[in-house]
Amino acid sequence: MAHDLAEEGDKTPVENTADDEAVTRAERGQPAPLEYDIERVEAVYRKLDRRIIPAFWILYFLCSAIRSNIGLAQTMNADVGHDLMTMLGLSSNDVSTALALFYVSYVIFDCPSNLVMSKLSPRVWMARIVFAVGVIGACFTAVRAAWSLKLLRFLLGVVIAGMWPGMSYYLTLFYPPSRTGKRIGYYFTASQVSAAVVGLVSAGFQLMDGVGGLVGFQWMFLIYGLLAVVLGWTLLWWLPDRPLPPGEQRKRSGLAKWLPPTPEALTGEDALVHYEDLKRVYHSRPWTLKDLGYVLLDWRLWPLTLMYFGVVGVGIGTQLYGTIIIRGINPSFTGVQLSLLFAPIWIMDMIAIMLVTPISDRFHHLRPLFFSCAVCIQIAGLLTVTFAPTSNPWARYGGLLMVGFGLGPTVPICMTWTNEIFQHRHGEVGVAAASALVSGLGNLGSITTTYALYTGWPADAAPGPHQYRRSNLVMIGILCISILSSAVMFVALKIVGNKPSHKIASSGSSTIDGLDGFQDGAARRELQQRGFGGMWRSRRVS
């Protein structure tokens, strides 16, 4: 049916360039694979961009603000005793425990949440995550003691788990993995913008101190939480659901009958173009626990997890302790100067994301090279911070800017490479499970740098010319592990390959198209890198 309908569109049917494949298809009576002009395909993906990426950017911005605003609450209106620490009588240990509980629940529930999303409606599950984050975020308004703060931080980790890998998985329902790096990078910038904007907006909340009987940080918790609740409901109308083959009608049963319908992502010829380019999504086989077991036993998970562990650990460490590192460079910096010097680190981070991730998509076979080069820039920056003369603080600050630039593309590239490897090998369950495990287990690096380094290492935090030197060297060490892991993965894939799992193939998975394993137009094109062709001719081409 799709073949007949496709004949009506503006397309150029072509056969695979491999002669033996063409002969084999002819002998079996199979039609030549249909491929639309690349400009037509690009136009479809741009239309999807307008529907998905802005929504993802907003939800990630808001959820990042809710996740991190506890840090601002510790100092808001401190001059009148209305900060979180004073109001709740918290100790430093209470705050550290509350922060740790978030990561504990996040790591535990990250993978289960993503697997549920792959079984249910991804649109509804993503909206559920944002709605629940808003509810828990608003509940922080009512905290009155340390135990309630710890409980809510744990629950926040439970409900937000699966959001980041879920967004990555969701993209693979609409884009081939080789095109997701740039898009992950685009909405990843929301976290950096959130860190800057939330800090500025907190000044306004401090002016509301005492209004309606609430202190400044309570207004912050309440308003961000309510905004997320509204956004969660809005996403039910806006985000498209999993695409259906052309001509198939969406069936609304069970709970879906009571939820608002959403317009299809693509209609008409656009839907036909997308179907021909990404058939793997339309014909994926429902996975079983046995399939999940094959994913969990795949050795490819662990190098990717170690890659993520290092760069996320350094990223969180820089985010939490950046101002502390800057103060160590020059103790005479004022609070305002520290804030102003901290922001450019994340501006460099954003610049690198916007520059590197689009190019990494066009040279997707070289992702480990892009990743490793970015990590090397981080290492060079940390070495500069550590060993530049104390008499030249601006050289050391320049090292921090290098760290920020190197951080930018590493997380999007790592997640994209995970999607590429595991979708081809294990299908949909591979993407859902692997992206969550890499993200969840990799975040153990966040715990390491948060609680074991800098202020958590008293001997290293002692004032002097070598303050934080050992913490910086530890971060360099875990970055070296990331580079080594990417090199091991690259070499191992060259030796062992990344063919679709024979166990899944033998069970009838539709991820394998009996003839050659490349079941759609995107998969055939992914055999070759796009390079810079057409990139400068039209900036609109993705």
Side-chain angles (χ1 to χ4, degrees):
M1 176 180 177
H3 174 73
D4 295 334
L5 290 172
E7 291 289 351
E8 301 174 6
D10 178 20
K11 57 147 190 355
T12 304
V14 298
E15 295 190 358
N16 194 294
T17 55
D19 294 337
D20 55 343
E21 177 186 335
V23 172
T24 305
R25 283 189 180 275
E27 290 175 350
R28 296 185 181 185
Q30 296 176 336
L34 299 174
E35 291 190 10
Y36 286 81
D37 180 82
I38 187 63
E39 292 290 343
R40 186 69 181 87
V41 175
E42 300 283 6
V44 170
Y45 288 126
R46 288 196 299 272
K47 179 174 287 189
L48 289 171
D49 287 344
R50 293 190 290 271
R51 181 78 178 273
I52 297 172
I53 304 304
F56 270 20
W57 197 96
I58 294 170
L59 77 85
Y60 196 54
F61 174 94
L62 200 51
C63 289
S64 295
I66 292 173
R67 182 183 61 187
S68 62
N69 60 17
I70 186 176
L72 292 168
Q74 295 176 59
T75 58
M76 291 175 62
N77 299 113
D79 55 332
V80 293
H82 287 176
D83 58 288
L84 183 69
M85 301 285 287
T86 303
M87 295 285 290
L88 273 62
L90 301 176
S91 65
S92 298
N93 184 63
D94 289 329
V95 176
S96 297
T97 303
L99 294 173
L101 286 172
F102 170 85
Y103 286 109
V104 169
S105 56
Y106 182 88
V107 170
I108 292 173
F109 291 98
D110 213 25
C111 186
S113 175
N114 229 32
L115 293 174
V116 171
M117 174 184 277
S118 71
K119 284 291 189 181
L120 303 180
S121 164
R123 165 186 69 107
V124 173
W125 194 250
M126 186 60 68
R128 190 282 308 166
I129 290 175
V130 177
F131 180 84
V133 168
V135 170
I136 299 298
C139 286
F140 275 89
T141 307
V143 293
R144 292 291 184 272
W147 71 265
S148 59
L149 179 70
K150 295 173 185 177
L151 174 62
L152 287 176
R153 285 294 294 183
F154 181 85
L155 292 177
L156 183 62
V158 173
V159 298
I160 205 172
M163 181 189 69
W164 171 248
M167 295 164 77
S168 177
Y169 161 74
Y170 184 95
L171 286 187
T172 63
L173 300 179
F174 296 93
Y175 304 91
S178 63
R179 291 177 179 266
T180 59
K182 178 179 73 172
R183 291 163 173 97
I184 292 174
Y186 283 172
Y187 65 71
F188 186 52
T189 62
S191 178
Q192 284 71 38
V193 176
S194 175
V197 172
V198 169
L200 295 174
V201 174
S202 68
F205 288 123
Q206 293 183 71
L207 297 176
M208 298 174 65
D209 189 56
V211 176
L214 300 178
V215 299
F217 73 78
Q218 290 176 319
W219 277 113
M220 179 177 66
F221 289 148
L222 179 62
I223 291 178
Y224 281 133
L226 293 179
L227 286 174
V229 168
V230 173
L231 178 61
W233 278 109
T234 304
L235 292 176
L236 286 174
W237 277 274
W238 184 258
L239 283 180
D241 230 325
R242 174 193 301 272
L244 295 177
E248 183 175 328
Q249 297 296 316
R250 192 174 300 280
K251 298 178 181 178
R252 293 168 54 81
S253 59
L255 181 61
K257 292 181 178 179
W258 304 97
L259 296 175
T262 182
E264 295 296 332
L266 299 167
T267 57
E269 190 188 45
D270 288 339
L272 293 173
V273 174
H274 191 260
Y275 175 79
E276 291 293 340
D277 204 58
L278 207 61
K279 285 183 181 178
R280 74 191 86 169
V281 170
Y282 292 88
H283 300 295
S284 61
R285 177 181 62 87
W287 58 268
T288 65
L289 289 176
K290 190 175 182 181
D291 297 329
L292 177 60
Y294 296 148
V295 177
L296 298 178
L297 293 175
D298 196 323
W299 61 267
R300 294 163 182 81
L301 271 175
W302 307 114
L304 291 165
T305 299
L306 289 175
M307 289 168 59
Y308 199 87
F309 177 94
V311 296
V312 167
V314 172
I316 295 297
T318 304
Q319 184 176 9
L320 294 178
Y321 298 113
T323 54
I324 294 174
I325 297 172
I326 296 172
R327 186 181 293 278
I329 292 173
N330 188 344
S332 66
F333 286 145
T334 66
V336 173
Q337 288 174 321
L338 289 174
S339 298
L340 293 175
L341 290 170
F342 185 62
I345 298 174
W346 306 110
I347 294 174
M348 295 296 292
D349 185 286
M350 290 177 56
I351 291 173
I353 289 173
M354 304 298 286
L355 286 177
V356 178
T357 55
I359 298 175
S360 72
D361 275 357
R362 289 179 169 272
F363 294 90
H364 59 278
H365 293 169
L366 302 177
R367 290 203 198 275
L369 178 61
F370 285 103
F371 177 88
S372 297
C373 288
V375 175
C376 285
I377 293 174
Q378 294 178 58
I379 292 174
L382 285 170
L383 289 172
T384 303
V385 172
T386 306
F387 295 108
T390 56
S391 60
N392 188 359
W394 293 112
R396 305 179 78 188
Y397 176 69
L400 272 182
L401 296 181
M402 293 172 64
V403 172
F405 188 88
L407 277 171
T410 52
V411 170
I413 288 175
C414 189
M415 293 300 292
T416 304
W417 203 23
T418 301
N419 291 345
E420 285 181 324
I421 291 171
F422 279 85
Q423 187 186 71
H424 182 68
R425 183 161 175 79
H426 295 282
E428 191 169 302
V429 66
V431 176
S435 61
L437 287 169
V438 169
S439 168
L441 296 177
N443 261 291
L444 294 174
S446 304
I447 299 176
T448 301
T449 55
T450 301
Y451 301 104
L453 304 180
Y454 298 104
T455 56
W457 191 348
D460 193 43
H466 301 312
Q467 187 180 36
Y468 304 130
R469 171 169 289 189
R470 282 175 284 186
S471 294
N472 290 341
L473 293 176
V474 170
M475 291 221 288
I476 290 172
I478 65 175
L479 287 175
C480 289
I481 293 175
S482 291
I483 292 178
L484 179 62
S485 299
S486 69
V488 168
M489 175 65 97
F490 180 75
V491 173
L493 290 178
K494 288 293 184 182
I495 297 173
V496 179
N498 190 51
K499 294 182 179 180
S501 171
H502 292 295
K503 295 177 181 178
I504 291 183
S506 64
S507 65
S509 171
S510 65
T511 60
I512 313 299
D513 183 6
L515 177 65
D516 55 22
F518 302 113
Q519 70 277 35
D520 52 42
R524 288 188 291 273
R525 285 197 307 276
E526 284 171 351
L527 293 173
Q528 302 294 326
Q529 300 183 123
R530 285 182 288 161
F532 290 115
M535 186 175 185
W536 314 118
R537 182 177 67 252
S538 174
R539 298 296 298 176
R540 296 184 307 160
V541 175
S542 55

